[in-house]
Amino acid sequence: RHLDARIMESPSLAIESVDREIVNMGNLAVNHLSIAMDALLSKSVKKIKTVRKMEETMDKLAQLITEYLVNISNLSLTMEQHLHINMLLNTVNDVERIGDHCDNIGELAERYCKEEGEFSDKAVKGLKKMYAKTIEGTESAMVARATGDLEAVEITMTNEELVDIMEIELRKEHVKRLSKKLCSTKTGVIYLDVLTNLERISDHAMNIAEYVQEERG
């Protein structure tokens, strides 16, 4: 809603406008993740459909914002503005990738709904902890993008490290459960794939935070 071709007569205003739109897209990605995980844990077919619709919206936004940024880059800009545009292009790509992983979780939720088995209580507890750190880090990355707050950058980076550790530990624990046949193989594979997608989301959130850090010098 902020992308108006008429304001390109003022590059600084155009950049400010697209920056706000990227923040909106980032906040949508956070919501996308929340609904995707809720769809999985509650086995909600209705929420799975919402996840799909949100992915379509994310893709459209990414295309529109990228095209707008490319048009701005063809204007007469300062070196600092060119750097900012490049960072925003990278950010849009990472936000879109977060959306892709949310959609993956939605697809895993759909598969999980078709299975009779359930994740064990320990598996769910671990998954919820990892998800909490993932979404906290993603939210902090969007705060950093919106405000330039370096404390938010640090929060994102700290959470990313924790998510990496959790992913390794939860994977090992779940493989042990599978070997002891405490979980079914089909739901076990779904669980491991969810861990992978959460870890990747955390990686993209860290990328977004690092762009802010680089811009701030």
Side-chain angles (χ1 to χ4, degrees):
R1 60 181 178 271
H2 295 113
L3 307 184
D4 190 334
R6 292 172 295 182
I7 62 175
M8 283 195 185
E9 294 178 6
S10 172
S12 59
L13 185 58
I15 292 171
E16 182 180 330
S17 296
V18 75
D19 218 334
R20 288 199 301 272
E21 201 60 63
I22 290 171
V23 170
N24 287 338
M25 183 182 175
N27 291 333
L28 181 63
V30 171
N31 194 32
H32 197 187
L33 173 56
S34 175
I35 294 172
M37 284 301 295
D38 198 12
L40 175 79
L41 295 172
S42 66
K43 285 192 168 184
S44 171
V45 175
K46 182 179 179 181
K47 288 178 180 177
I48 291 169
K49 292 179 180 178
T50 301
V51 171
R52 286 175 179 164
K53 290 179 181 178
M54 291 182 76
E55 170 62 9
E56 292 174 4
T57 300
M58 293 284 287
D59 286 345
K60 290 176 182 177
L61 280 173
Q63 182 179 351
L64 288 170
I65 293 171
T66 299
E67 289 174 357
Y68 196 81
L69 283 168
V70 170
N71 288 334
I72 295 175
S73 70
N74 291 324
L75 302 176
S76 179
L77 305 175
T78 65
M79 289 295 292
E80 185 178 353
Q81 286 173 327
H82 273 297
L83 172 63
H84 190 57
I85 291 297
N86 287 335
M87 294 301 174
L88 292 180
L89 282 167
N90 289 337
T91 299
V92 171
N93 182 63
D94 278 290
V95 174
E96 183 183 20
R97 293 295 295 129
I98 288 173
D100 289 342
H101 289 297
C102 291
D103 192 48
N104 289 347
I105 293 172
E107 291 178 359
L108 291 167
E110 185 174 22
R111 284 168 53 191
Y112 186 45
C113 285
K114 295 176 182 178
E115 297 297 332
E116 293 182 3
E118 303 279 345
F119 298 148
S120 69
D121 290 342
K122 285 188 177 180
V124 171
K125 185 178 180 181
L127 185 60
K128 285 182 176 179
K129 285 184 177 180
M130 183 175 174
Y131 161 60
K133 288 300 175 184
T134 302
I135 198 164
E136 182 182 350
T138 307
E139 287 172 336
S140 296
M142 302 316 165
V143 169
R145 179 68 267 164
T147 66
D149 184 0
L150 293 180
E151 287 187 13
V153 170
E154 287 299 322
I155 290 172
T156 300
M157 292 182 173
T158 298
N159 281 356
E160 193 277 334
E161 291 175 1
L162 291 172
V163 168
D164 281 350
I165 293 169
M166 286 181 180
E167 196 266 345
I168 293 170
E169 291 179 347
L170 292 175
R171 185 174 290 276
K172 286 181 179 178
E173 290 174 4
H174 202 64
V175 169
K176 286 180 181 178
R177 284 192 292 269
L178 287 171
S179 65
K180 294 178 181 179
K181 297 184 179 180
L182 298 175
C183 294
S184 74
T185 303
K186 289 183 179 179
T187 59
V189 170
I190 292 171
Y191 183 85
L192 294 174
D193 283 347
V194 174
L195 297 182
T196 298
N197 280 280
L198 288 177
E199 191 273 332
R200 300 271 172 81
I201 288 170
S202 185
D203 285 344
H204 288 294
M206 186 179 70
N207 289 345
I208 293 166
E210 286 181 337
Y211 303 145
V212 175
Q213 185 180 52
E214 187 172 343
E215 284 181 54
R216 299 280 288 177

